[in-house]
Amino acid sequence: MSAPQTYATHRRFDPPYHFVLLPFFLVTVIATVTTFVRRPALATFWIALLALAVTFLALKVRVYALRVQDRIIHLEEQLRLARLLPEDLKARIPELSVKQCVGLRFASDGEVADRMREALRENLDGEAIKKRIRTWRPDEFRV
């Protein structure tokens, strides 16, 4: 059984992406750019450009996946908040940004109302919200 998730341990690495693909693409970019610098030609330039494009594509695919995930979390948290919050706060749910909802998802049901009040009153971002959480609600599905 793994240790409980906290602010310090909530970030995740995807080993195949972070430790295999990205290093592979970065080494390929360095090698192809070095080859082009040492032997400038249209072919070596094109290969270096292709390596850069594929690396950029890998980064963009990751960013797109995280953005979709944030939108899903935003929707999930809006539904959760509508179920848990007192009436005075329910009307303020649309005022929360996506980043604030992403931060609030870690707050336990018992403290989510207090964290939301603080987020709206102080215009906190997701990281600041997460740092204030006392009772952590783990998210084991984040990639």
Side-chain angles (χ1 to χ4, degrees):
M1 199 160 140
S2 62
Q5 197 178 66
T6 65
Y7 178 79
T9 63
H10 80 285
R11 298 205 190 296
R12 294 196 159 193
F13 286 105
D14 178 23
Y17 179 81
H18 288 102
F19 303 123
V20 177
L21 284 177
L22 278 185
F24 175 78
F25 287 144
L26 292 175
V27 167
T28 301
V29 166
I30 292 167
T32 57
V33 168
T34 302
T35 300
F36 171 67
V37 169
R38 289 184 180 163
R39 287 174 277 182
L42 181 59
T44 56
F45 170 74
W46 191 253
I47 291 170
L49 196 60
L50 179 62
L52 282 167
V54 170
T55 303
F56 183 70
L57 176 65
L59 294 171
K60 290 301 283 182
V61 165
R62 174 78 175 167
V63 169
Y64 291 156
L66 291 176
R67 186 164 294 157
V68 168
Q69 188 168 256
D70 286 348
R71 289 183 67 173
I72 292 169
I73 290 168
H74 187 226
L75 176 61
E76 287 175 338
E77 283 307 302
Q78 286 177 327
L79 294 170
R80 175 178 173 239
L81 293 172
R83 182 175 44 85
L84 293 174
L85 294 177
E87 289 304 317
D88 66 312
L89 281 178
K90 283 184 183 180
R92 299 196 66 194
I93 292 172
E95 296 176 38
L96 292 169
S97 71
V98 171
K99 294 296 180 194
Q100 288 173 320
C101 281
V102 168
L104 285 171
R105 83 183 186 280
F106 293 110
S108 67
D109 291 354
E111 80 174 293
V112 74
D114 292 335
R115 298 297 78 80
M116 180 177 163
R117 278 189 189 93
E118 292 172 355
L120 292 172
R121 182 177 58 244
E122 301 172 36
N123 195 29
L124 300 176
D125 66 4
E127 287 301 307
I129 293 168
K130 288 189 267 186
K131 288 177 183 176
R132 293 183 183 200
I133 294 172
R134 292 185 198 107
T135 307
W136 198 266
R137 180 177 161 251
D139 180 357
E140 302 296 338
F141 297 111
R142 181 104 176 156
V143 215

